Amino acid sequence: MTAYRSILAACWLLSSPLGAEAQNALAAWDNRCEECHGPADEFAGKYLWAIGDQLQGRHHVSDLRRFMGNHYVPGHLLDGLQSLLMQHASTTRRFEQLCGACHGDVQAFVHKSVAVKWGKLRGLESSVAVEEFLTTHQNLPAEDADFFTRMLTRVADHVHADQGTSE
């Protein structure tokens, strides 16, 4: 796991134009955040999501940067840390790569096809729980069905927030 994280961090650093800022963000996460929140990639994948170019999370959905600033992150590290977490949170790319050919853009798909009802993500027309449906859809392995259920639920919470479709 440590080798995997090191390889991911190195790839991110080499591909990132941030240079020293990216290194400072990784160091900040390791020194200030990891003890409570675990590895950045696991944390971002579980609690954060990217909608367009906006990083969002459970706390202060509309202003995650302000939350991070009030949560022990020095101002000069906010941009780098947000960029680091954005890289890890951009899970909708996986949907676009694996599902986009048939289902199109994830936000449009969620808007017309699924919503959280009765505590679970369900099809709007069928009311079938997505987690149950996905295990039979395109021979998805259980871990992929779980991943897509969690990711689509996050997107649905955002997409349907102002429409009263989600609980």
Side-chain angles (χ1 to χ4, degrees), residues 51 92 95 103-117 121-125 130 151-166:
I51 306 266
T92 56
F95 178 89
H103 298 295
D105 174 71
V106 67
Q107 290 179 342
F109 170 76
V110 165
H111 178 72
K112 70 179 181 182
S113 302
V114 298
V116 177
K117 292 182 181 180
L121 186 68
R122 298 180 181 276
L124 286 175
E125 291 183 18
V130 169
M151 187 269 300
L152 291 169
T153 300
R154 287 186 210 146
V155 175
D157 286 342
H158 173 75
V159 167
H160 297 301
D162 295 329
Q163 300 171 352
T165 310
S166 293

Side-chain angles (χ1 to χ4, degrees), residues 54-55 59-73 78 82:
Q54 190 75 17
L55 181 64
H59 297 290
H60 298 281
V61 172
S62 63
D63 195 354
L64 186 61
R65 181 180 170 79
R66 187 174 111 214
F67 176 77
M68 289 171 58
N70 292 331
H71 196 68
Y72 312 110
V73 177
L78 282 173
Q82 269 200 283

